Amino acid sequence: MTDKSVILGRPARRNVGADSRTTGATHGNLSEQEIVNAALRVIHQDGLEKLSMRRLSRELGVSAMAPYYYVTDKHELLDLVATAALGGITAPEPGPDWTERLRNLIDQIDERLSTYPGLGEVLLDRMLRSQRHLVALVMDILFDAGFTDRNVYCAYATIHTYLYGRSGVTTQDPRVPDPSVLPESIARATAHIDRIHGHDVYRFGVATLIAGLKAQLDRQGETQHE
């Protein structure tokens, strides 16, 4: 069962004593984009739990206080990362085929995840805090398709977990042991792994996800007419 904290996010702390920080796109030689990229590098290399303001300053090669001109703490830093990385995602054009609209939106999100390694780990539990409009775009499509309130939540949770959770799986080392020491089913399934790429797995996963949602929508309709 998906824990609600995965979907609804966790409450963030605020450093109320840092209101005098300078805001803007740059401060001296340090840009907002540099901060975002450095944070994502730390997450990609060491994991989200290792990211701290002090670790970020080391990655940037600046004083420990320099990042505070932009963000008050780690939580605000992660919101900045999410907002910067997902900027530019647009609502799909209205149309009768909800599956094409959903696929378009999922593809836009995945493109950002591919561009920014480590972003999925940030977004897995922070979407409703910093990216409510994006959550709403997905849910609007599901409501338009005819899902009930309850099933919209369940459908979104499934999409959310696939999109943002899969990054932790696809970055694993794909090498497998000698086939002679593997169970037959694993040996057969992994025999051609060198010719299977990330986009192949992604396309298969999205097609399976949308087919499953369509089946659930059909089942919902049958239940309502019983």
Side-chain angles (χ1 to χ4, degrees):
M1 181 177 179
T2 303
D3 186 88
K4 289 185 178 180
S5 66
V6 172
I7 307 304
L8 300 180
R10 298 176 183 141
R13 296 188 300 270
R14 291 281 300 178
N15 182 350
V16 296
D19 290 339
S20 61
R21 64 191 173 92
T22 302
T23 59
T26 61
H27 179 76
N29 294 323
L30 191 60
S31 73
E32 188 173 276
Q33 190 61 51
E34 286 174 323
I35 292 176
V36 169
N37 290 341
L40 286 167
R41 285 197 303 272
V42 173
I43 294 167
H44 184 57
Q45 296 166 5
D46 304 328
L48 182 60
E49 69 281 357
K50 296 295 185 181
L51 178 64
S52 65
M53 300 297 280
R54 185 174 296 278
R55 175 68 178 85
L56 176 66
S57 65
R58 290 203 305 271
E59 182 69 22
L60 288 165
V62 297
S63 70
M65 295 303 296
Y68 287 98
Y69 284 105
Y70 289 90
V71 290
T72 58
D73 55 24
K74 177 179 176 178
H75 294 278
E76 192 171 318
L77 170 64
L78 294 179
D79 289 341
L80 176 66
V81 167
T83 299
L86 293 178
I89 291 180
T90 59
E93 291 293 328
D97 190 342
W98 66 270
T99 64
E100 287 303 314
R101 294 168 60 202
L102 183 60
R103 186 188 299 273
N104 177 283
L105 189 54
I106 289 175
D107 284 346
Q108 289 187 68
I109 297 171
D110 184 74
E111 190 275 332
R112 300 304 193 282
L113 295 175
S114 300
T115 302
Y116 298 97
L119 180 62
E121 193 172 358
V122 174
L123 298 175
L124 190 59
D125 67 350
R126 299 191 69 79
M127 285 299 291
L128 197 60
R129 173 179 169 81
S130 62
Q131 298 297 315
R132 294 174 186 170
H133 69 288
L134 197 52
V135 176
L137 285 179
V138 175
M139 289 188 172
D140 285 344
I141 294 172
L142 296 171
F143 275 120
D144 289 346
F147 286 95
T148 64
D149 295 5
R150 179 182 184 278
N151 285 346
V152 163
Y153 179 88
C154 292
Y156 177 80
T158 303
I159 295 167
H160 182 106
T161 303
Y162 173 72
L163 265 178
Y164 307 119
R166 64 186 278 272
S167 61
V169 177
T170 56
T171 56
Q172 299 300 315
D173 191 337
R175 291 178 297 178
V176 295
D178 184 338
S180 64
V181 303
L182 295 173
E184 181 184 0
S185 58
I186 298 178
R188 289 177 57 190
T190 58
H192 306 287
I193 195 169
D194 290 339
R195 293 190 290 275
I196 298 175
H197 305 289
H199 65 271
D200 299 316
V201 177
Y202 169 74
R203 286 201 298 263
F204 184 92
V206 172
T208 303
L209 177 63
I210 290 178
L213 290 174
K214 290 176 66 176
Q216 288 289 351
L217 187 59
D218 291 341
R219 180 183 299 178
Q220 173 187 289
E222 293 170 359
T223 302
Q224 290 175 335
H225 287 90
E226 287 180 354

